Structure formats: C-alpha cells, structure tokens
Amino acid sequence: MNTAERGLILGKYIDDTLARRALEAAALAVAPGSPQVPFLWSGTQWVTLAGEWRDLPKIRSGMGQWLADFAFWLRCENHDAMQLAEEHAELDRQARSAELDVRIVAPEVRALVERSAAALRRQADAMIVPPMTVPLELIKGMESVASEILTANDGRATHLLRLASQFDAFRAPMRDPADWVAGLSAAPRTEHVRTSAVWEAFSLAEPALARSLGARTGKTVLFAAMDKRFGARRKLSGYEGWRGVALTA
C-alpha cells in the first residue's frame, strides 16, 4: 500500500481526538427528555438496560442510531441559538467586507462607505447570541461517529464503542461485584492473570463500586468476590492480582 492509498484509508474516519470529544459531549448532555441510550457498558461488554447481552450488529445499530437521533435532538434544542449565530456571522462578514472597502474606495465616497461599515459593525456587536448547550463542531462530530458506528468495519465500530465506554453516562450501574466477576472465567493455571484486559476491566469496576459503597468498602467487596471465585490473591511484582483469571470473549 503506497502513502497516498494509506492517507485515503486513514482519512475516511473521524479523528479519534474529535470522536472522543464528541462522545464526551454526548455523555455530558444526556438529559431527561433526550433519546434514551439503548445499551450500557457493564465493565466487560455492552448490555441492554435490563442487563441482557446482545451481539455486535445489534449493539452497533442501537448505539449508532441513538447517537444520530441524539445529535438531531441537540440541533433542535439549539435551533434558535444556531440561527442567531448564523445571522451574527453573516453580519460580521458584511461588516468586515465594508471595513475593507473603506481602504480601497475612491476618496469622494469614502465617508459614505465608512458610515455603512460602522452601522454594520454596531449591528453585529449589538446582537446577543446565546451559547449553545453543545458546540456545533461537536454535534457534527457526533453525527460522524454515529455514521461510522453504523457503516464502518467491525474493528473501527468496536474501537468507537470502546471510546464511548470510558464515560459514565454509558456505564451500567454496578449493583453487585458478582456482575463483574461473572464476566471472568478460569484460565490455564500455568499462566498468571492475562491481565492487560482483566486489569482494565477491574479498573472500571472498582471506581463504580467506590462511588456506590465508598472507596474502602468498594475495594474490599470486590476483592472478596474475586477471592471467592478464583481463590486467594497472589502478590505479583507491582500488581495485586489473581493467577488463572481471564476475560470471557
């Protein structure tokens, strides 16, 4: 694959930084009356609001359509502010154009053009544009992310869903540490915790319990649930984990 072809392939997707910002904005803007999120991240997988598992095509379809609907809802919520912003931008453009004309018109009409430019500038400066609840750039970013979740390859869609799982609005409440531990299964006893994946999931589980139970109690309860299922913890170098634990696919 040559450089030009590689650039085209990379360029067909929204930049990850903007995608993360758009997803974060969506998470922060979710409110009563807005379209309801159909799936939540349990710490190990996406589940329905009732906690039921669904396959990737249904998750993609549900989350992609939700995000598209949510972006449209935000556009409607911000319609008046968007319209005023467009009017202000047009007035400002006209004022800047007239101010430029002052420098190049013939001397005999300069005073007239100056008055016109000053009037346009006063009009633009007097217009009050209310702030949008979510910047238009991020609403457009949500629309791009939604389109990719719905149409991109499975790897890209999964990556975007993984980005979404980082934000609290898309995380299922952890009612019981067993909900998280149930997503783990025994691994060969010859291996230590295969733990980049397990530790990542554990790191998501612990703060959720800390918020609901308190940091000390949350950690104690989660450790106890892990010990009960997998046996006593074994101290590893720089990491307190379990031998023989793996995430289920």
mmCIF file of all heavy atoms in Angstrom, residues 103-151:
data_model
loop_
_atom_site.group_PDB
_atom_site.id
_atom_site.type_symbol
_atom_site.label_atom_id
_atom_site.label_comp_id
_atom_site.label_asym_id
_atom_site.label_seq_id
_atom_site.Cartn_x
_atom_site.Cartn_y
_atom_site.Cartn_z
ATOM 1 N N ARG A 103 -10.782 51.052 2.714
ATOM 2 C CA ARG A 103 -9.368 51.261 2.407
ATOM 3 C C ARG A 103 -9.114 51.404 0.902
ATOM 4 O O ARG A 103 -8.067 51.922 0.500
ATOM 5 C CB ARG A 103 -8.535 50.093 2.917
ATOM 6 C CG ARG A 103 -8.710 49.827 4.403
ATOM 7 C CD ARG A 103 -7.888 48.608 4.811
ATOM 8 N NE ARG A 103 -8.140 48.202 6.189
ATOM 9 C CZ ARG A 103 -7.573 47.161 6.780
ATOM 10 N NH1 ARG A 103 -6.716 46.419 6.092
ATOM 11 N NH2 ARG A 103 -7.857 46.860 8.038
ATOM 12 N N ILE A 104 -10.070 50.952 0.086
ATOM 13 C CA ILE A 104 -9.770 50.897 -1.346
ATOM 14 C C ILE A 104 -10.707 51.752 -2.209
ATOM 15 O O ILE A 104 -10.445 51.935 -3.397
ATOM 16 C CB ILE A 104 -9.829 49.428 -1.856
ATOM 17 C CG1 ILE A 104 -11.212 48.820 -1.606
ATOM 18 C CG2 ILE A 104 -8.747 48.581 -1.191
ATOM 19 C CD1 ILE A 104 -11.363 47.411 -2.150
ATOM 20 N N VAL A 105 -11.781 52.297 -1.610
ATOM 21 C CA VAL A 105 -12.713 53.092 -2.428
ATOM 22 C C VAL A 105 -12.126 54.478 -2.715
ATOM 23 O O VAL A 105 -11.196 54.947 -2.042
ATOM 24 C CB VAL A 105 -14.080 53.237 -1.726
ATOM 25 C CG1 VAL A 105 -14.743 51.888 -1.574
ATOM 26 C CG2 VAL A 105 -13.922 53.932 -0.375
ATOM 27 N N ALA A 106 -12.714 55.126 -3.685
ATOM 28 C CA ALA A 106 -12.283 56.485 -4.041
ATOM 29 C C ALA A 106 -12.582 57.437 -2.889
ATOM 30 O O ALA A 106 -13.568 57.252 -2.162
ATOM 31 C CB ALA A 106 -13.015 56.942 -5.306
ATOM 32 N N PRO A 107 -11.752 58.473 -2.714
ATOM 33 C CA PRO A 107 -11.922 59.400 -1.582
ATOM 34 C C PRO A 107 -13.312 60.020 -1.516
ATOM 35 O O PRO A 107 -13.836 60.250 -0.415
ATOM 36 C CB PRO A 107 -10.850 60.467 -1.840
ATOM 37 C CG PRO A 107 -9.815 59.755 -2.642
ATOM 38 C CD PRO A 107 -10.551 58.780 -3.500
ATOM 39 N N GLU A 108 -13.934 60.301 -2.678
ATOM 40 C CA GLU A 108 -15.211 61.012 -2.661
ATOM 41 C C GLU A 108 -16.361 60.168 -2.083
ATOM 42 O O GLU A 108 -17.397 60.719 -1.693
ATOM 43 C CB GLU A 108 -15.586 61.494 -4.075
ATOM 44 C CG GLU A 108 -15.642 60.400 -5.132
ATOM 45 C CD GLU A 108 -14.315 60.206 -5.833
ATOM 46 O OE1 GLU A 108 -13.271 60.603 -5.260
ATOM 47 O OE2 GLU A 108 -14.309 59.658 -6.958
ATOM 48 N N VAL A 109 -16.218 58.838 -2.042
ATOM 49 C CA VAL A 109 -17.291 58.008 -1.458
ATOM 50 C C VAL A 109 -16.852 57.351 -0.152
ATOM 51 O O VAL A 109 -17.607 56.567 0.434
ATOM 52 C CB VAL A 109 -17.738 56.918 -2.466
ATOM 53 C CG1 VAL A 109 -18.358 57.529 -3.709
ATOM 54 C CG2 VAL A 109 -16.594 55.988 -2.825
ATOM 55 N N ARG A 110 -15.655 57.685 0.307
ATOM 56 C CA ARG A 110 -15.114 57.007 1.490
ATOM 57 C C ARG A 110 -15.979 57.252 2.729
ATOM 58 O O ARG A 110 -16.247 56.345 3.509
ATOM 59 C CB ARG A 110 -13.674 57.456 1.732
ATOM 60 C CG ARG A 110 -13.000 56.699 2.881
ATOM 61 C CD ARG A 110 -11.513 56.937 2.885
ATOM 62 N NE ARG A 110 -10.913 56.422 1.649
ATOM 63 C CZ ARG A 110 -9.786 56.894 1.138
ATOM 64 N NH1 ARG A 110 -9.153 57.905 1.722
ATOM 65 N NH2 ARG A 110 -9.294 56.373 0.031
ATOM 66 N N ALA A 111 -16.442 58.490 2.904
ATOM 67 C CA ALA A 111 -17.244 58.804 4.089
ATOM 68 C C ALA A 111 -18.530 57.995 4.122
ATOM 69 O O ALA A 111 -18.955 57.497 5.172
ATOM 70 C CB ALA A 111 -17.558 60.302 4.114
ATOM 71 N N LEU A 112 -19.153 57.833 2.954
ATOM 72 C CA LEU A 112 -20.383 57.049 2.874
ATOM 73 C C LEU A 112 -20.124 55.588 3.235
ATOM 74 O O LEU A 112 -20.890 54.967 3.993
ATOM 75 C CB LEU A 112 -20.956 57.155 1.457
ATOM 76 C CG LEU A 112 -22.238 56.362 1.179
ATOM 77 C CD1 LEU A 112 -23.376 56.860 2.055
ATOM 78 C CD2 LEU A 112 -22.616 56.455 -0.294
ATOM 79 N N VAL A 113 -19.036 55.012 2.709
ATOM 80 C CA VAL A 113 -18.705 53.614 2.993
ATOM 81 C C VAL A 113 -18.346 53.447 4.461
ATOM 82 O O VAL A 113 -18.700 52.440 5.091
ATOM 83 C CB VAL A 113 -17.558 53.139 2.074
ATOM 84 C CG1 VAL A 113 -17.142 51.710 2.425
ATOM 85 C CG2 VAL A 113 -17.978 53.216 0.617
ATOM 86 N N GLU A 114 -17.655 54.452 5.032
ATOM 87 C CA GLU A 114 -17.298 54.383 6.458
ATOM 88 C C GLU A 114 -18.551 54.332 7.328
ATOM 89 O O GLU A 114 -18.616 53.583 8.298
ATOM 90 C CB GLU A 114 -16.434 55.584 6.845
ATOM 91 C CG GLU A 114 -14.991 55.470 6.394
ATOM 92 C CD GLU A 114 -14.195 56.704 6.775
ATOM 93 O OE1 GLU A 114 -14.819 57.742 7.065
ATOM 94 O OE2 GLU A 114 -12.956 56.617 6.760
ATOM 95 N N ARG A 115 -19.555 55.156 6.982
ATOM 96 C CA ARG A 115 -20.803 55.160 7.754
ATOM 97 C C ARG A 115 -21.510 53.813 7.636
ATOM 98 O O ARG A 115 -22.037 53.285 8.612
ATOM 99 C CB ARG A 115 -21.719 56.295 7.284
ATOM 100 C CG ARG A 115 -21.261 57.677 7.724
ATOM 101 C CD ARG A 115 -22.365 58.702 7.578
ATOM 102 N NE ARG A 115 -22.751 58.905 6.173
ATOM 103 C CZ ARG A 115 -22.149 59.757 5.349
ATOM 104 N NH1 ARG A 115 -21.132 60.485 5.781
ATOM 105 N NH2 ARG A 115 -22.549 59.889 4.102
ATOM 106 N N SER A 116 -21.511 53.272 6.419
ATOM 107 C CA SER A 116 -22.144 51.969 6.212
ATOM 108 C C SER A 116 -21.438 50.872 7.006
ATOM 109 O O SER A 116 -22.078 50.043 7.649
ATOM 110 C CB SER A 116 -22.126 51.635 4.714
ATOM 111 O OG SER A 116 -22.639 50.343 4.491
ATOM 112 N N ALA A 117 -20.107 50.894 6.980
ATOM 113 C CA ALA A 117 -19.329 49.893 7.723
ATOM 114 C C ALA A 117 -19.572 50.024 9.224
ATOM 115 O O ALA A 117 -19.733 49.017 9.933
ATOM 116 C CB ALA A 117 -17.850 50.047 7.399
ATOM 117 N N ALA A 118 -19.611 51.271 9.718
ATOM 118 C CA ALA A 118 -19.825 51.494 11.150
ATOM 119 C C ALA A 118 -21.210 51.015 11.573
ATOM 120 O O ALA A 118 -21.382 50.430 12.661
ATOM 121 C CB ALA A 118 -19.653 52.975 11.471
ATOM 122 N N ALA A 119 -22.222 51.244 10.713
ATOM 123 C CA ALA A 119 -23.576 50.803 11.037
ATOM 124 C C ALA A 119 -23.645 49.280 11.111
ATOM 125 O O ALA A 119 -24.270 48.705 12.025
ATOM 126 C CB ALA A 119 -24.560 51.333 9.992
ATOM 127 N N LEU A 120 -23.005 48.598 10.157
ATOM 128 C CA LEU A 120 -22.990 47.133 10.166
ATOM 129 C C LEU A 120 -22.262 46.600 11.398
ATOM 130 O O LEU A 120 -22.700 45.621 12.020
ATOM 131 C CB LEU A 120 -22.313 46.607 8.892
ATOM 132 C CG LEU A 120 -23.133 46.689 7.608
ATOM 133 C CD1 LEU A 120 -22.241 46.429 6.395
ATOM 134 C CD2 LEU A 120 -24.287 45.687 7.631
ATOM 135 N N ARG A 121 -21.152 47.244 11.754
ATOM 136 C CA ARG A 121 -20.394 46.803 12.919
ATOM 137 C C ARG A 121 -21.201 46.978 14.200
ATOM 138 O O ARG A 121 -21.211 46.101 15.080
ATOM 139 C CB ARG A 121 -19.069 47.579 12.995
ATOM 140 C CG ARG A 121 -18.207 47.248 14.205
ATOM 141 C CD ARG A 121 -17.907 45.771 14.310
ATOM 142 N NE ARG A 121 -17.198 45.250 13.156
ATOM 143 C CZ ARG A 121 -17.106 43.970 12.865
ATOM 144 N NH1 ARG A 121 -17.709 43.069 13.616
ATOM 145 N NH2 ARG A 121 -16.442 43.558 11.804
ATOM 146 N N ARG A 122 -21.942 48.112 14.333
ATOM 147 C CA ARG A 122 -22.782 48.328 15.522
ATOM 148 C C ARG A 122 -23.870 47.258 15.603
ATOM 149 O O ARG A 122 -24.177 46.736 16.677
ATOM 150 C CB ARG A 122 -23.415 49.720 15.482
ATOM 151 C CG ARG A 122 -22.468 50.859 15.825
ATOM 152 C CD ARG A 122 -23.214 52.145 16.114
ATOM 153 N NE ARG A 122 -24.003 52.590 14.951
ATOM 154 C CZ ARG A 122 -23.521 53.369 13.984
ATOM 155 N NH1 ARG A 122 -22.256 53.787 14.044
ATOM 156 N NH2 ARG A 122 -24.291 53.743 12.986
ATOM 157 N N GLN A 123 -24.451 46.934 14.444
ATOM 158 C CA GLN A 123 -25.497 45.917 14.397
ATOM 159 C C GLN A 123 -24.957 44.557 14.843
ATOM 160 O O GLN A 123 -25.594 43.845 15.624
ATOM 161 C CB GLN A 123 -26.030 45.824 12.960
ATOM 162 C CG GLN A 123 -27.528 45.687 12.859
ATOM 163 C CD GLN A 123 -27.986 45.620 11.410
ATOM 164 O OE1 GLN A 123 -27.393 46.225 10.526
ATOM 165 N NE2 GLN A 123 -29.040 44.864 11.188
ATOM 166 N N ALA A 124 -23.775 44.220 14.325
ATOM 167 C CA ALA A 124 -23.178 42.927 14.683
ATOM 168 C C ALA A 124 -22.826 42.874 16.163
ATOM 169 O O ALA A 124 -23.096 41.875 16.848
ATOM 170 C CB ALA A 124 -21.937 42.670 13.836
ATOM 171 N N ASP A 125 -22.237 43.962 16.670
ATOM 172 C CA ASP A 125 -21.805 43.977 18.071
ATOM 173 C C ASP A 125 -22.992 43.983 19.038
ATOM 174 O O ASP A 125 -22.876 43.516 20.179
ATOM 175 C CB ASP A 125 -20.919 45.193 18.339
ATOM 176 C CG ASP A 125 -19.567 45.083 17.633
ATOM 177 O OD1 ASP A 125 -19.239 43.962 17.190
ATOM 178 O OD2 ASP A 125 -18.865 46.110 17.520
ATOM 179 N N ALA A 126 -24.136 44.507 18.583
ATOM 180 C CA ALA A 126 -25.305 44.589 19.462
ATOM 181 C C ALA A 126 -26.074 43.275 19.524
ATOM 182 O O ALA A 126 -26.891 43.067 20.421
ATOM 183 C CB ALA A 126 -26.239 45.701 18.983
ATOM 184 N N MET A 127 -25.821 42.374 18.580
ATOM 185 C CA MET A 127 -26.566 41.110 18.551
ATOM 186 C C MET A 127 -26.088 40.188 19.660
ATOM 187 O O MET A 127 -24.899 39.926 19.808
ATOM 188 C CB MET A 127 -26.406 40.424 17.189
ATOM 189 C CG MET A 127 -27.199 39.130 17.087
ATOM 190 S SD MET A 127 -27.109 38.396 15.427
ATOM 191 C CE MET A 127 -28.242 39.473 14.564
ATOM 192 N N ILE A 128 -27.011 39.714 20.470
ATOM 193 C CA ILE A 128 -26.696 38.797 21.570
ATOM 194 C C ILE A 128 -26.984 37.366 21.103
ATOM 195 O O ILE A 128 -28.121 37.033 20.767
ATOM 196 C CB ILE A 128 -27.520 39.130 22.826
ATOM 197 C CG1 ILE A 128 -27.185 40.545 23.316
ATOM 198 C CG2 ILE A 128 -27.264 38.100 23.923
ATOM 199 C CD1 ILE A 128 -28.053 41.012 24.460
ATOM 200 N N VAL A 129 -25.951 36.567 21.062
ATOM 201 C CA VAL A 129 -26.095 35.168 20.634
ATOM 202 C C VAL A 129 -25.984 34.275 21.868
ATOM 203 O O VAL A 129 -24.916 34.208 22.488
ATOM 204 C CB VAL A 129 -25.014 34.792 19.605
ATOM 205 C CG1 VAL A 129 -25.184 33.334 19.177
ATOM 206 C CG2 VAL A 129 -25.077 35.724 18.406
ATOM 207 N N PRO A 130 -27.072 33.615 22.266
ATOM 208 C CA PRO A 130 -26.988 32.742 23.442
ATOM 209 C C PRO A 130 -26.063 31.553 23.173
ATOM 210 O O PRO A 130 -25.981 31.078 22.037
ATOM 211 C CB PRO A 130 -28.444 32.276 23.636
ATOM 212 C CG PRO A 130 -29.070 32.413 22.290
ATOM 213 C CD PRO A 130 -28.391 33.579 21.628
ATOM 214 N N PRO A 131 -25.361 31.093 24.189
ATOM 215 C CA PRO A 131 -24.451 29.952 23.972
ATOM 216 C C PRO A 131 -25.245 28.683 23.687
ATOM 217 O O PRO A 131 -26.336 28.470 24.226
ATOM 218 C CB PRO A 131 -23.701 29.847 25.303
ATOM 219 C CG PRO A 131 -24.619 30.464 26.313
ATOM 220 C CD PRO A 131 -25.361 31.550 25.591
ATOM 221 N N MET A 132 -24.693 27.828 22.824
ATOM 222 C CA MET A 132 -25.297 26.524 22.570
ATOM 223 C C MET A 132 -24.939 25.576 23.705
ATOM 224 O O MET A 132 -23.865 25.680 24.289
ATOM 225 C CB MET A 132 -24.793 25.975 21.233
ATOM 226 C CG MET A 132 -25.239 26.786 20.032
ATOM 227 S SD MET A 132 -24.577 26.117 18.477
ATOM 228 C CE MET A 132 -25.305 24.477 18.477
ATOM 229 N N THR A 133 -25.846 24.668 24.019
ATOM 230 C CA THR A 133 -25.539 23.700 25.077
ATOM 231 C C THR A 133 -24.375 22.797 24.675
ATOM 232 O O THR A 133 -23.597 22.356 25.517
ATOM 233 C CB THR A 133 -26.775 22.827 25.395
ATOM 234 O OG1 THR A 133 -27.233 22.217 24.178
ATOM 235 C CG2 THR A 133 -27.904 23.663 25.966
ATOM 236 N N VAL A 134 -24.258 22.526 23.377
ATOM 237 C CA VAL A 134 -23.136 21.758 22.834
ATOM 238 C C VAL A 134 -22.672 22.471 21.563
ATOM 239 O O VAL A 134 -23.499 22.795 20.714
ATOM 240 C CB VAL A 134 -23.548 20.308 22.490
ATOM 241 C CG1 VAL A 134 -22.395 19.560 21.821
ATOM 242 C CG2 VAL A 134 -24.012 19.566 23.733
ATOM 243 N N PRO A 135 -21.376 22.761 21.435
ATOM 244 C CA PRO A 135 -20.895 23.443 20.235
ATOM 245 C C PRO A 135 -21.249 22.677 18.966
ATOM 246 O O PRO A 135 -21.270 21.441 18.954
ATOM 247 C CB PRO A 135 -19.375 23.495 20.442
ATOM 248 C CG PRO A 135 -19.187 23.395 21.914
ATOM 249 C CD PRO A 135 -20.293 22.521 22.407
ATOM 250 N N LEU A 136 -21.509 23.440 17.898
ATOM 251 C CA LEU A 136 -21.906 22.829 16.629
ATOM 252 C C LEU A 136 -20.848 21.846 16.130
ATOM 253 O O LEU A 136 -21.178 20.792 15.569
ATOM 254 C CB LEU A 136 -22.159 23.921 15.584
ATOM 255 C CG LEU A 136 -22.651 23.439 14.211
ATOM 256 C CD1 LEU A 136 -23.945 22.656 14.337
ATOM 257 C CD2 LEU A 136 -22.827 24.626 13.270
ATOM 258 N N GLU A 137 -19.574 22.160 16.339
ATOM 259 C CA GLU A 137 -18.496 21.261 15.902
ATOM 260 C C GLU A 137 -18.658 19.874 16.516
ATOM 261 O O GLU A 137 -18.450 18.851 15.851
ATOM 262 C CB GLU A 137 -17.139 21.843 16.312
ATOM 263 C CG GLU A 137 -15.963 20.917 16.049
ATOM 264 C CD GLU A 137 -14.728 21.237 16.894
ATOM 265 O OE1 GLU A 137 -14.853 21.997 17.872
ATOM 266 O OE2 GLU A 137 -13.662 20.715 16.567
ATOM 267 N N LEU A 138 -19.067 19.826 17.801
ATOM 268 C CA LEU A 138 -19.194 18.537 18.475
ATOM 269 C C LEU A 138 -20.480 17.819 18.074
ATOM 270 O O LEU A 138 -20.525 16.588 18.057
ATOM 271 C CB LEU A 138 -19.117 18.729 19.991
ATOM 272 C CG LEU A 138 -17.780 19.252 20.501
ATOM 273 C CD1 LEU A 138 -17.777 19.350 22.016
ATOM 274 C CD2 LEU A 138 -16.630 18.365 20.027
ATOM 275 N N ILE A 139 -21.537 18.575 17.763
ATOM 276 C CA ILE A 139 -22.752 17.947 17.241
ATOM 277 C C ILE A 139 -22.442 17.280 15.906
ATOM 278 O O ILE A 139 -22.842 16.139 15.640
ATOM 279 C CB ILE A 139 -23.881 18.975 17.089
ATOM 280 C CG1 ILE A 139 -24.308 19.512 18.465
ATOM 281 C CG2 ILE A 139 -25.086 18.348 16.386
ATOM 282 C CD1 ILE A 139 -25.368 20.591 18.419
ATOM 283 N N LYS A 140 -21.693 17.980 15.051
ATOM 284 C CA LYS A 140 -21.279 17.387 13.775
ATOM 285 C C LYS A 140 -20.387 16.174 14.025
ATOM 286 O O LYS A 140 -20.448 15.176 13.296
ATOM 287 C CB LYS A 140 -20.555 18.419 12.925
ATOM 288 C CG LYS A 140 -21.455 19.529 12.387
ATOM 289 C CD LYS A 140 -20.666 20.537 11.567
ATOM 290 C CE LYS A 140 -21.559 21.611 10.985
ATOM 291 N NZ LYS A 140 -20.779 22.639 10.239
ATOM 292 N N GLY A 141 -19.532 16.255 15.069
ATOM 293 C CA GLY A 141 -18.692 15.110 15.420
ATOM 294 C C GLY A 141 -19.523 13.905 15.826
ATOM 295 O O GLY A 141 -19.218 12.765 15.447
ATOM 296 N N MET A 142 -20.598 14.137 16.603
ATOM 297 C CA MET A 142 -21.498 13.035 16.974
ATOM 298 C C MET A 142 -22.104 12.395 15.738
ATOM 299 O O MET A 142 -22.230 11.162 15.653
ATOM 300 C CB MET A 142 -22.619 13.552 17.885
ATOM 301 C CG MET A 142 -22.185 14.006 19.250
ATOM 302 S SD MET A 142 -23.603 14.678 20.172
ATOM 303 C CE MET A 142 -22.753 15.805 21.286
ATOM 304 N N GLU A 143 -22.503 13.212 14.778
ATOM 305 C CA GLU A 143 -23.095 12.683 13.548
ATOM 306 C C GLU A 143 -22.088 11.825 12.783
ATOM 307 O O GLU A 143 -22.439 10.768 12.235
ATOM 308 C CB GLU A 143 -23.604 13.842 12.686
ATOM 309 C CG GLU A 143 -24.810 14.552 13.305
ATOM 310 C CD GLU A 143 -25.127 15.887 12.660
ATOM 311 O OE1 GLU A 143 -24.240 16.461 11.978
ATOM 312 O OE2 GLU A 143 -26.256 16.391 12.864
ATOM 313 N N SER A 144 -20.819 12.263 12.783
ATOM 314 C CA SER A 144 -19.780 11.480 12.099
ATOM 315 C C SER A 144 -19.523 10.156 12.813
ATOM 316 O O SER A 144 -19.377 9.108 12.179
ATOM 317 C CB SER A 144 -18.479 12.288 12.014
ATOM 318 O OG SER A 144 -18.642 13.430 11.208
ATOM 319 N N VAL A 145 -19.464 10.206 14.149
ATOM 320 C CA VAL A 145 -19.253 8.981 14.926
ATOM 321 C C VAL A 145 -20.423 8.019 14.710
ATOM 322 O O VAL A 145 -20.227 6.810 14.517
ATOM 323 C CB VAL A 145 -19.078 9.302 16.425
ATOM 324 C CG1 VAL A 145 -19.023 8.013 17.242
ATOM 325 C CG2 VAL A 145 -17.801 10.105 16.653
ATOM 326 N N ALA A 146 -21.642 8.551 14.730
ATOM 327 C CA ALA A 146 -22.824 7.715 14.512
ATOM 328 C C ALA A 146 -22.754 7.029 13.153
ATOM 329 O O ALA A 146 -23.023 5.825 13.029
ATOM 330 C CB ALA A 146 -24.092 8.564 14.614
ATOM 331 N N SER A 147 -22.365 7.791 12.132
ATOM 332 C CA SER A 147 -22.269 7.228 10.788
ATOM 333 C C SER A 147 -21.240 6.106 10.735
ATOM 334 O O SER A 147 -21.477 5.057 10.119
ATOM 335 C CB SER A 147 -21.903 8.338 9.794
ATOM 336 O OG SER A 147 -21.719 7.821 8.501
ATOM 337 N N GLU A 148 -20.104 6.295 11.404
ATOM 338 C CA GLU A 148 -19.070 5.262 11.389
ATOM 339 C C GLU A 148 -19.497 4.016 12.157
ATOM 340 O O GLU A 148 -19.236 2.889 11.737
ATOM 341 C CB GLU A 148 -17.764 5.817 11.966
ATOM 342 C CG GLU A 148 -17.040 6.723 11.001
ATOM 343 C CD GLU A 148 -15.648 7.081 11.482
ATOM 344 O OE1 GLU A 148 -15.059 6.282 12.232
ATOM 345 O OE2 GLU A 148 -15.167 8.155 11.112
ATOM 346 N N ILE A 149 -20.144 4.203 13.313
ATOM 347 C CA ILE A 149 -20.604 3.037 14.075
ATOM 348 C C ILE A 149 -21.554 2.204 13.223
ATOM 349 O O ILE A 149 -21.535 0.974 13.251
ATOM 350 C CB ILE A 149 -21.280 3.485 15.389
ATOM 351 C CG1 ILE A 149 -20.241 4.067 16.359
ATOM 352 C CG2 ILE A 149 -22.000 2.312 16.058
ATOM 353 C CD1 ILE A 149 -20.831 4.639 17.635
ATOM 354 N N LEU A 150 -22.376 2.893 12.427
ATOM 355 C CA LEU A 150 -23.370 2.196 11.617
ATOM 356 C C LEU A 150 -22.780 1.565 10.360
ATOM 357 O O LEU A 150 -23.281 0.546 9.883
ATOM 358 C CB LEU A 150 -24.495 3.161 11.229
ATOM 359 C CG LEU A 150 -25.430 3.602 12.364
ATOM 360 C CD1 LEU A 150 -26.303 4.766 11.917
ATOM 361 C CD2 LEU A 150 -26.293 2.439 12.837
ATOM 362 N N THR A 151 -21.726 2.171 9.789
ATOM 363 C CA THR A 151 -21.290 1.741 8.455
ATOM 364 C C THR A 151 -19.842 1.263 8.363
ATOM 365 O O THR A 151 -19.503 0.585 7.393
ATOM 366 C CB THR A 151 -21.460 2.901 7.441
ATOM 367 O OG1 THR A 151 -20.603 3.997 7.821
ATOM 368 C CG2 THR A 151 -22.900 3.384 7.404
#
